[in-house]
Amino acid sequence: MPKENKKNRTLAIFFWICVGLCMATIFYFSSQSADISASQSGFIRKIIERIFGISTTTDYVVRKLAHFCEFLGLSLLSNAALYFTCGKTKAFFGTAISSAYAITDEVHQIFVDGRSCQFTDWLIDTAGAVTGLVIFLIFYIFIGKIILPKLKNRRN
């Protein structure tokens, strides 16, 4: 097996493990009751207020931003995993994986005390996944089309 293929395989395994860990983390936070979730959001809100001096931030905004960021990260990791697995970008599929997982996350919350399944949360999650896709594509273009050719030219 060529050296490059071993490197891609190792990176693919690494990113798939990260995808699994990210999904497990999302599941863990979604398993928290509404009271625990509100407490966590309040704690984060206080940190934001202390750092930025913003006193208008609400727990609601913190929770929605958390949804957005969780799925942004999942999309980045899924796209990287697919890139190193397939050898080329399969960006739509990484975003689709993230959006589909967002659906399962919302359904899961039906069974958690005080939580609910909300279409708007799925939209926020999917918006985070699309943003993750855009960031992934920027990295892909920057590294693959700009940085790597310059490095190859230096070697020659």
Side-chain angles (χ1 to χ4, degrees):
M1 181 184 288
K3 189 176 185 178
E4 189 68 26
N5 287 344
K6 283 185 180 180
K7 181 179 174 185
N8 284 351
R9 184 173 177 217
T10 302
L11 286 169
I13 291 168
F14 170 77
F15 280 111
W16 283 118
I17 290 169
C18 289
V19 166
L21 291 172
C22 186
M23 287 178 166
T25 301
I26 291 169
F27 183 86
Y28 170 77
F29 283 119
S30 292
S31 297
Q32 304 296 314
S33 70
D35 292 338
I36 294 171
S37 179
S39 172
Q40 291 168 340
S41 298
F43 177 74
I44 298 297
R45 181 184 46 78
K46 287 177 185 176
I47 291 172
I48 291 170
E49 289 174 358
R50 198 171 295 145
I51 293 172
F52 297 106
I54 302 170
S55 60
T56 58
T57 304
T58 64
D59 292 348
Y60 178 81
V61 170
V62 170
R63 282 195 303 274
K64 300 312 170 190
L65 187 57
H67 271 269
F68 183 87
C69 291
E70 288 171 339
F71 287 90
L72 182 151
L74 180 59
S75 180
L76 277 171
L77 293 169
S78 298
N79 287 313
L82 286 167
Y83 175 78
F84 288 110
T85 300
C86 300
K88 56 186 171 182
T89 182
K90 296 283 185 182
F92 171 77
F93 295 113
T95 305
I97 288 169
S98 301
S99 182
Y101 192 70
I103 292 169
T104 67
D105 179 56
E106 290 305 312
V107 171
H108 165 242
Q109 289 182 44
I110 293 171
F111 304 101
V112 178
D113 186 37
R115 304 288 293 265
S116 63
C117 175
Q118 296 185 359
F119 180 73
T120 54
D121 282 353
W122 172 76
L123 289 175
I124 291 167
D125 298 344
T126 300
V130 170
T131 304
L133 166 65
V134 170
I135 292 169
F136 174 80
L137 291 174
I138 290 168
F139 277 114
Y140 175 77
I141 291 167
F142 182 72
I143 292 170
K145 308 289 183 188
I146 298 170
I147 300 295
L148 292 179
K150 288 182 180 181
L151 291 174
K152 287 179 183 177
N153 287 338
R154 286 185 184 170
R155 288 186 205 156
N156 296 332

